[in-house]
């Protein structure tokens, strides 16, 4: 799903940044920050993120969301400190942190592309028709904002899976 794709984009960007030398001085920190702020790094991050999220957000919203995430990343000194801490083998939950980091960039309402992508993925599951998939989607949209849905996907995927199965069962019984 889209949630995993955005998470993967952020984690890929972080992995690239981990190639920076261990920062033990202010100079190393400045070099690391300069790498993050370089146009090449930004272009790579935004292009990769946009390509991975376009199906779920549409081209324009994906670009907007990914640019927002990048801007937050390079302006956040906590981000740099967390990356540097992870280089020193401190355990950091980047998936949870990744959602907290991009959450303000996520659109307020469901883009049409999200609806289309959800129905397409639902139909791949097999034994359901388009009407059932649309019913599940409408039920999700009643219970979750885009941000709540993504937060649940990041923080409690099992809960979301159970909720989706219950919604599917309700729709199939109609």
């Amino acid at each position: 799903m889209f949630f995993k794709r955005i998470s993967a984009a952020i984690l890929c960007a972080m992995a690239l940044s981990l190639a920076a030398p261990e920062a033990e001085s202010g100079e190393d920190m400045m070099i690391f920050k300069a790498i993050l702020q370089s146009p090449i790094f930004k272009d790579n991050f935004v292009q990769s993120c946009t390509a991975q999220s376009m199906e779920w957000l549409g081209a324009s919203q994906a670009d907007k969301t990914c640019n927002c995430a990048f801007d937050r990343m390079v302006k956040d000194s906590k981000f740099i400190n967390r990356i540097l801490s992870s280089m020193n083998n401190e355990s950091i939950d980047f998936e949870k942190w990744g959602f907290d980091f991009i959450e303000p960039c996520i659109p307020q309402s469901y883009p049409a592309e999200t609806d289309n992508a959800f129905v397409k993925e639902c139909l791949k599951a097999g034994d359901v028709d388009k009407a059932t998939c649309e019913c599940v989607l409408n039920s999700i949209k009643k219970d979750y904002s885009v941000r709540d849905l993504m937060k649940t996907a990041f923080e409690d995927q099992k809960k979301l899976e159970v909720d989706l199965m219950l919604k599917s069962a309700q729709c199939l019984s109609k």
Side-chain angles (χ1 to χ4, degrees):
M1 274 187 114
F2 164 72
F3 325 110
K4 291 289 184 190
R5 293 176 183 193
I6 287 289
S7 175
I10 287 178
L11 292 175
C12 286
M14 288 180 208
L16 288 173
S17 64
L18 290 175
E22 284 192 38
E24 295 176 2
S25 70
E27 183 178 318
D28 289 340
M29 176 89 97
M30 287 174 38
I31 292 169
F32 182 70
K33 194 169 186 175
I35 291 169
L36 286 177
Q37 293 174 335
S38 72
I40 292 172
F41 185 85
K42 179 179 183 175
D43 288 347
N44 286 337
F45 176 87
V46 172
Q47 286 175 9
S48 175
C49 174
T50 299
Q52 293 178 22
S53 57
M54 195 177 332
E55 179 182 2
W56 288 86
L57 292 177
S60 176
Q61 184 61 56
D63 184 64
K64 182 178 175 184
T65 298
C66 295
N67 270 294
C68 172
F70 179 83
D71 290 343
R72 287 182 48 79
M73 181 173 62
V74 297
K75 292 176 183 171
D76 188 343
S77 61
K78 288 180 183 177
F79 167 78
I80 294 171
N81 289 333
R82 286 180 177 174
I83 293 293
L84 295 174
S85 295
S86 73
M87 284 187 229
N88 296 324
N89 296 321
E90 288 184 30
S91 178
I92 296 170
D93 183 354
F94 278 111
E95 281 214 20
K96 179 180 180 336
W97 174 80
F99 175 78
D100 291 342
F101 191 73
I102 66 164
E103 190 264 340
C105 301
I106 298 168
Q108 294 286 343
S109 59
Y110 286 89
E113 290 83 0
T114 302
D115 295 3
N116 297 335
F118 180 87
V119 170
K120 182 179 170 183
E121 285 295 316
C122 177
L123 289 170
K124 286 181 185 177
D127 302 328
V128 292
D129 60 10
K130 185 174 181 180
T132 302
C133 292
E134 289 172 344
C135 175
V136 172
L137 175 63
N138 290 331
S139 182
I140 288 170
K141 289 169 85 172
K142 286 179 188 172
D143 293 342
Y144 294 96
S145 69
V146 177
R147 290 179 181 178
D148 290 341
L149 180 64
M150 290 185 173
K151 184 174 184 162
T152 304
F154 271 88
E155 293 179 354
D156 194 351
Q157 193 166 5
K158 290 282 188 204
K159 177 188 182 298
L160 183 60
E161 288 172 8
V162 168
D163 199 18
L164 286 172
M165 284 193 287
L166 290 172
K167 289 178 185 315
S168 297
Q170 289 170 345
C171 288
L172 285 169
S173 69
K174 290 183 179 180

